Amino acid sequence: MKRLLVSWLIAVSGMTLSSANAADIVIGTGGENGVYHATGKAICDLIGKSGGPSCEARSSGGSVRNLKDIADGKVNFAMAQSDWQFHAFKGSTKWEGKPVANLRAVMSIYPEAVQVIANDKVKRWHDLKGKRVNIGNPGSGQRETMEEMMTAQGWRASSFDPASEVNSTQQIELFCAGKLDAFVHVVGIPNAAMAKAVSECGGKIVEPSSTIVRKLATSARPYYSKVTLPADTYKKGQTKVDTFGVLATLVTGAETDGKLVDAVVKAVFAAFKAKHPSYANADPANMVMDGLSAPLHPAAKAYYDSKGWKTGG
C-alpha cells in the first residue's frame, strides 16, 4: 500500500497575470479557511524565505475553478484534486471535448481520503443502505467520488432514505443535529470538521467496502490511490482504517517560465513537511509520481531527475 501524501488575496475578480499588481507566482488555491489555501500560503512563505520570486496565494472556488484559470492564464500555478487534473487533461466530464492541453503537473502533496462518518445505526459500510446519508452537493468532488462508489456497489441515490445533497459544511451541522446517519467526505488527514463529528457528535469512522476500493483504485483511475487513516487519528482507541482517495496536486501551464517552476519545487522540497499536519507523510518518491495525469513541466522533471527521483513523465 502506498504511503502518500501530502500571502495575500487579490480581491479583484478576473485579474490576469498581465496586471501590473500581479506577483511573479500566483497560486490558485481554495476557500480562505481550507487546506488548499493554507498550502498555497505555505508554498509562498517558503519561496519568500528562500529569496525567490514574489508569490501570492489567491483564494478561489477550488479545483475546477483553478484549472479553468490555468487554461485562461489567470494564474500560473494552482491546487487541484488529482481526479480533476485527470479529467481536465484528458478532456472528460466537465472538459468533455475541450481538454486543457497546456496543463502540466508539478507535484502531488498530500492525500485527500474518502472518510465515511456514521452514527451508531451504522456498523459497517453495507448498513448505509436505507439510512439517511449525505451524498454531496451536485458538481462537487465529494459527489463525483460518491457516485463512483455507489456505482461500484450497485447503489443509487434511491438506495438511501433519504439521500441528502448538502455541502461539506452543512453535512456536519446536520449530522451533529441528529438529522443524518452518515456522510462521506473526501478531505485531507487530519481534518477539524471530521474530528468534531467524531469527538463531539458521536460519530465513528466506517471503512469502505474492500470491493469498492479494489474496483476504484486501479490503473483505469490513476487519480485514486489506497490510503490508510492511522489509528487514533480522531479519537483515542480508533483503529486504523483502510480507504482510498484522491491527491491534492500542484499544477501549472506548459508556458510557465521554467525559472518559476524551479523556484517552487526547490522551496517546497527544502522544508515543506513542518508546515501543516496534512503534509506529515509527504515523501518525495510519491510526490513526483502519484496522482499526476498531466505531463510534468520540464523544469520540475529536470529538478527531480537531478535528485535521482523516479518520475512518471
Side-chain angles (χ1 to χ4, degrees):
M1 179 172 293
K2 301 175 184 176
R3 288 190 63 210
L4 304 170
L5 290 188
V6 161
S7 135
W8 63 93
L9 165 69
I10 290 180
V12 181
S13 175
M15 186 176 290
T16 66
L17 292 180
S18 62
S19 168
N21 293 326
D24 295 321
I25 294 171
V26 180
I27 306 173
T29 61
E32 290 187 29
N33 296 320
V35 181
Y36 273 17
H37 193 58
T39 299
K41 292 201 299 182
I43 292 172
C44 284
D45 182 52
L46 291 172
I47 292 170
K49 288 181 177 178
S50 69
S54 59
C55 182
E56 170 199 333
R58 181 182 296 182
S59 66
S60 76
S63 297
V64 174
R65 178 73 267 165
N66 292 341
L67 290 162
K68 289 180 178 178
D69 285 348
I70 285 283
D72 295 338
K74 292 183 178 179
V75 299
N76 51 8
F77 291 86
M79 297 294 302
Q81 283 186 189
S82 54
D83 52 346
W84 291 123
Q85 180 191 142
F86 176 91
H87 292 310
F89 185 70
K90 299 294 185 182
S92 51
T93 65
K94 293 181 182 294
W95 288 272
E96 186 70 43
K98 297 180 180 179
V100 183
N102 72 323
L103 187 64
R104 295 295 179 267
V106 179
M107 68 185 75
S108 62
I109 303 175
Y110 61 88
E112 297 185 297
V114 172
Q115 301 178 51
V116 184
I117 306 294
N119 61 21
D120 287 338
K121 295 180 181 179
V122 178
K123 305 299 182 185
R124 58 194 184 101
W125 166 260
H126 294 283
D127 294 339
L128 292 178
K129 190 173 183 179
K131 302 298 192 300
R132 301 170 299 171
V133 179
N134 184 50
I135 61 175
N137 55 300
S140 67
Q142 174 185 353
R143 176 63 171 270
E144 178 123 340
T145 299
M146 185 57 177
E147 287 183 349
E148 289 197 305
M149 293 175 74
M150 289 190 295
T151 298
Q153 187 63 59
W155 290 347
R156 300 181 179 181
S158 58
S159 299
F160 308 115
D161 188 22
S164 300
E165 298 180 296
V166 301
N167 64 34
S168 58
T169 299
Q170 292 172 312
Q171 70 184 2
I172 300 296
E173 296 171 353
L174 291 176
F175 183 79
C176 291
K179 296 180 180 180
L180 280 178
D181 295 318
F183 63 88
V184 180
H185 196 23
V186 185
V187 69
I189 310 165
N191 177 266
M194 301 297 99
K196 177 181 178 180
V198 172
S199 62
E200 298 180 23
C201 304
K204 63 178 179 296
I205 303 175
V206 175
E207 193 166 270
S209 164
S210 59
T211 300
I212 288 178
V213 177
R214 187 173 65 251
K215 285 183 176 181
L216 296 185
T218 67
S219 59
R221 295 178 176 84
Y223 45 86
Y224 284 141
S225 293
K226 294 177 181 178
V227 182
T228 296
L229 273 68
D232 302 328
T233 297
Y234 296 125
K235 188 175 183 180
K236 190 171 179 60
Q238 169 220 312
T239 58
K240 76 175 182 68
V241 174
D242 291 328
T243 182
F244 71 104
V246 295
L247 287 165
T249 71
L250 184 69
V251 298
T252 189
E255 67 284 353
T256 300
D257 190 332
K259 292 181 180 178
L260 298 180
V261 177
D262 187 67
V264 170
V265 295
K266 283 181 177 177
V268 167
F269 285 100
F272 192 70
K273 283 189 177 185
K275 284 291 179 179
H276 191 279
S278 288
Y279 321 140
N281 291 326
D283 182 345
N286 294 324
M287 293 171 71
V288 304
M289 278 283 291
D290 296 334
L292 305 180
S293 301
L296 281 169
H297 189 283
K301 189 175 189 309
Y303 178 77
Y304 304 150
D305 287 345
S306 74
K307 294 291 185 180
W309 297 334
K310 183 179 178 181
T311 63

